[in-house]
């Protein structure tokens, strides 16, 4: 074989294999570190969110009698009982009334307080602290105090009596019980949304208001044309938080009205508690949990999809 043939054969065989790449590269170390950082969150999501959802769905297909120690598969019987439940309509109406009242009053009052406290006036820090302080107070303690104030002979009616007004029995009247629970909840959590709105308002550039004043825009027009669009992402955030929170209310109902009078304040979470832990219908309680999850999921997705129409910077 000639020298040329030798070179051609060597070229056809290809280059000699280089040294093997090490397994423990910097990229692989970064990947493993990233997985370790998210592992606690993922583990918590699996244990406290995904697994309970699967178990609730499984329990809704069974009838579990803790006292008798039985656990029987009933298929869709619990869902049929849900469709035939005569109280479900009033429970859903009470839930919707509470949620709408709470969301409207909470967001409206929080935004009004934030606008007022955003002014450069003396003493605003004190008022910010006063309005936010109920947020850090124990929920049960707050509700118990308001329960005493709203009694027939409580502090609210005592104050009205000094003004010559005969106050109603706030927590026992069908027309006043729901309003009382909503007001108590609004006063408890309005400070949180107020702080969020206040932070958003302080991020609005002052030059925009100066330019609007030069153009002769009124304060109301400045609010709707400048303030509202720029703080719309915060409005979306607070609305989602408030809607989800309104559908999960329990302690206030349990302490103040126990769902009464009648079923006028029996919201879905409290009705779920009654069925599962008072009447020991755990399978039916799990079915109500599925309904609550579906409502929360649907409303959250609806709000998230609607953001494209009114949230600033969203396409």
């Amino acid at each position: 074989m000639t020298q040329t043939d030798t070179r051609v054969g060597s070229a056809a065989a290809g280059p000699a294999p280089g040294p093997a790449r090490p397994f423990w590269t910097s990229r692989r170390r970064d990947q493993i570190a990233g997985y370790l950082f998210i592992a606690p969150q993922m583990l918590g999501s699996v244990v406290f969110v995904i697994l309970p959802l699967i178990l609730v769905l499984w329990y809704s297909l069974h009838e579990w009698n803790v006292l008798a120690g039985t656990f029987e598969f009933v298929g869709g019987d619990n869902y049929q009982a849900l469709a035939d439940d005569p109280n479900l309509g009033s429970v859903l109406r009470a839930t919707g009334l509470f949620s709408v009242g709470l969301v409207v009053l909470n967001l409206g009052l929080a935004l009004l307080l934030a606008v007022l406290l955003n002014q450069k006036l003396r003493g605003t820090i004190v008022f910010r602290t006063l309005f936010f302080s109920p947020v850090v107070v124990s929920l049960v303690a707050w509700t118990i105090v308001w329960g005493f104030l709203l009694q027939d002979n409580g502090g609210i009616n005592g104050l009205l009596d000094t003004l010559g007004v005969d106050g109603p029995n706030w927590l026992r009247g069908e027309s006043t019980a729901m309003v009382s629970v909503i007001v108590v909840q609004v006063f408890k959590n309005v400070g949180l949304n107020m702080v969020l709105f206040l932070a958003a308002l302080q991020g609005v550039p002052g030059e925009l208001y100066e330019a609007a004043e030069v153009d002769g825009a009124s304060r109301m027009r400045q609010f709707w044309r400048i303030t509202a669009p720029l703080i719309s992402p915060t409005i979306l955030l607070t609305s989602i938080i408030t809607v989800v929170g309104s559908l999960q209310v329990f302690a206030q109902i349990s302490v103040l009205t126990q769902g009464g009078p009648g079923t006028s304040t029996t919201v879905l979470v409290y009705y779920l508690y009654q069925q599962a832990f008072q009447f020991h219908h755990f399978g039916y309680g799990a079915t109500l949990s599925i309904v609550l999850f579906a409502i929360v999921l649907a409303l959250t997705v609806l709000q998230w999809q609607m953001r494209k129409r009114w949230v600033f910077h969203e396409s």
Side-chain angles (χ1 to χ4, degrees):
M1 181 181 293
T2 63
Q3 185 176 0
T4 303
D5 294 337
T6 303
R7 289 198 301 266
V8 172
S10 300
R21 295 184 60 185
F23 174 81
W24 198 249
T25 62
S26 60
R27 181 178 180 181
R28 195 177 298 276
R29 286 198 300 268
D30 292 340
Q31 291 176 344
I32 294 176
Y35 287 130
L36 290 176
F37 275 117
I38 67 173
Q41 177 66 30
M42 296 300 296
L43 180 62
S45 299
V46 170
V47 174
F48 297 108
V49 178
I50 298 177
L51 182 60
L53 286 175
I54 296 175
L55 290 177
V56 166
L57 181 60
W58 176 250
Y59 291 150
S60 69
L61 302 176
H62 294 75
E63 183 56 44
W64 184 10
N65 191 326
V66 179
L67 300 179
T70 59
F71 188 74
E72 300 177 358
F73 180 78
V74 295
D77 289 355
N78 287 322
Y79 292 92
Q80 183 62 45
L82 180 70
D84 299 334
D85 191 343
N87 296 322
L88 185 62
S90 62
V91 169
L92 292 179
R93 282 194 298 271
T95 304
L97 180 60
F98 179 85
S99 297
V100 172
L102 178 64
V103 171
V104 172
L105 289 178
N106 193 318
L107 296 183
L109 183 58
L111 184 56
L112 176 62
L113 292 174
V115 171
L116 294 176
L117 295 178
N118 194 41
Q119 309 300 318
K120 296 181 179 179
L121 301 174
R122 297 181 60 182
T124 55
I125 297 179
V126 177
F127 285 101
R128 293 177 190 176
T129 305
L130 290 176
F131 288 126
F132 185 77
S133 57
V135 177
V136 298
V137 175
S138 169
L139 176 60
V140 176
W142 172 268
T143 308
I144 290 175
V145 170
W146 273 98
F148 285 115
L149 292 175
L150 292 170
Q151 288 179 356
D152 191 23
N153 57 349
I156 302 296
N157 283 347
L159 179 61
L160 293 176
D161 188 58
T162 61
L163 302 175
V165 179
D166 187 15
N169 192 344
W170 298 96
L171 299 177
R172 294 296 176 262
E174 291 190 3
S175 60
T176 58
M178 179 61 77
V179 175
S180 301
V181 175
I182 291 174
V183 170
V184 170
Q185 182 66 6
V186 167
F187 285 164
K188 176 68 172 69
N189 291 329
V190 69
L192 178 60
N193 287 339
M194 180 200 70
V195 170
L196 295 175
F197 282 136
L198 189 59
L201 289 172
Q202 292 177 348
V204 178
E207 296 82 1
L208 298 178
Y209 296 113
E210 296 175 359
E213 290 179 358
V214 171
D215 292 338
S218 63
R219 288 293 183 89
M220 186 61 65
R221 191 173 184 83
Q222 291 178 30
F223 176 81
W224 289 111
R225 295 296 184 178
I226 299 175
T227 306
L230 291 180
I231 68 172
S232 56
T234 304
I235 296 177
L236 174 65
L237 170 65
T238 54
S239 65
I240 292 177
I241 294 175
T242 308
V243 168
V244 173
S246 68
L247 293 170
Q248 297 176 345
V249 63
F250 171 78
Q252 297 86 334
I253 302 295
S254 179
V255 174
L256 291 176
T257 64
Q258 294 80 47
T263 58
S264 60
T265 59
T266 303
V267 295
L268 188 55
V269 173
Y270 190 74
Y271 189 58
L272 185 160
Y273 162 78
Q274 286 181 321
Q275 293 294 326
F277 298 101
Q278 289 186 354
F279 307 145
H280 302 289
H281 299 157
F282 289 99
Y284 190 59
T287 306
L288 292 172
S289 299
I290 297 295
V291 174
L292 177 62
F293 173 76
I295 294 174
V296 172
L297 179 63
L299 291 177
T300 303
V301 171
L302 178 63
Q303 292 179 90
W304 185 250
Q305 292 299 322
M306 290 179 62
R307 81 193 190 281
K308 298 178 181 180
R309 296 192 177 187
W310 60 275
V311 175
F312 188 66
H313 288 323
E314 290 284 353
S315 57

